Amino acid sequence: MSVATSETFTAESPILPAGPFEPAEREAVYRAIHSRRDVRSQFTPRPIDEATLRRLLMAAHHAPSVGLSQPWNFIVIRSDEVKARAHAAFARASAEACAMFPEAQRPLYSALKLEGILQAPVNLCVTCDHSRGGPVVLGRTHQPEMDLFSTVCAVQNLWLAARAEGIGVGWVSIFHREDLRDILGLPDHVSPVAWLCLGHVDELYAEPELQVRGWTRRLPLDDLIYHEGWGQNAG
């Protein structure tokens, strides 16, 4: 069974079959979800070819967005100078973050590698243009933050596609937003949502790295499911 793409459909045949995937295809989707990792230290120096990067960006661009507003832009960064500025901004923010945790946790925090900015061949900043779609956007009339949520969907699409391509992705969030605005020259109506490090990887942790290192653990799913209202367990 072939997998349909956006190029498969025309104005004469706009319908997409909605049945389940074949078992092997379905398992591949779940494999990408369950084996996706936040990569910080396993990047190899092999460059990402342009065709692969284009496929990843196309996957991101096919994310759901409220009102089909597509508020994202993708800033591809390969420059050592820009990476160095971003790394310096991260280092400043990370030192501040370390001091926010209880003293007993600070040694472990300092031992964690929380970014791969300089090691990753490609850095990518995914932004949200709050003006995209005009002053009134379908679906944002009562929840204006939906443009940010839409942009995060684009990040997740890219992350899962990258896993399928053997590309590691690490999301670096320890920044002052204004530092990123300054480094990338972002206008006021555009917010940086995700700074991502991308590169080939040969191996991944079997479990999330923060779990392996003892920082936290995955919560049991059953503890997170309620029925018909907050805090209501199945009867």
Side-chain angles (χ1 to χ4, degrees), residues 149-229:
F149 301 159
S150 298
T151 304
V152 172
C153 288
V155 174
Q156 180 75 342
N157 265 23
L158 183 145
W159 214 333
L160 295 177
R163 177 66 191 93
E165 296 275 4
I167 303 295
V169 178
W171 187 333
V172 187
S173 60
I174 306 172
F175 287 116
H176 286 290
R177 189 169 295 168
E178 290 308 312
D179 285 342
L180 294 186
R181 288 186 182 280
D182 179 59
I183 292 167
L184 299 175
L186 302 181
D188 290 343
H189 63 278
V190 172
S191 294
V193 173
W195 186 286
L196 305 175
C197 303
L198 282 70
H200 286 278
V201 290
D202 293 329
E203 59 184 14
L204 295 167
Y205 284 100
E207 300 291 342
E209 185 175 353
L210 291 181
Q211 182 167 306
V212 172
R213 302 279 181 151
W215 184 263
T216 189
R217 63 180 180 82
R218 191 181 302 280
L219 299 173
L221 175 60
D222 288 341
D223 292 351
L224 306 176
I225 300 174
Y226 298 140
H227 295 266
E228 317 304 338

Side-chain angles (χ1 to χ4, degrees), residues 98-108:
C98 184
M100 298 177 188
F101 289 99
E103 190 170 352
Q105 283 187 288
R106 293 175 194 170
L108 178 55

Side-chain angles (χ1 to χ4, degrees), residues 83-186:
K83 290 180 184 179
R85 292 184 65 192
H87 186 267
F90 162 82
R92 291 191 297 271
S94 185
E96 296 168 358
C98 184
M100 298 177 188
F101 289 99
E103 190 170 352
Q105 283 187 288
R106 293 175 194 170
L108 178 55
Y109 179 95
S110 297
L112 295 172
K113 183 168 176 53
L114 299 174
E115 52 75 35
I117 295 169
L118 301 180
Q119 293 76 26
V122 173
N123 284 205
L124 179 72
C125 187
V126 184
T127 63
C128 177
D129 185 341
H130 302 288
S131 69
R132 188 80 41 88
V136 181
V137 176
L138 190 155
R140 287 186 61 205
T141 53
H142 293 74
Q143 297 189 57
E145 68 276 12
M146 289 300 296
D147 58 353
L148 292 168
F149 301 159
S150 298
T151 304
V152 172
C153 288
V155 174
Q156 180 75 342
N157 265 23
L158 183 145
W159 214 333
L160 295 177
R163 177 66 191 93
E165 296 275 4
I167 303 295
V169 178
W171 187 333
V172 187
S173 60
I174 306 172
F175 287 116
H176 286 290
R177 189 169 295 168
E178 290 308 312
D179 285 342
L180 294 186
R181 288 186 182 280
D182 179 59
I183 292 167
L184 299 175
L186 302 181

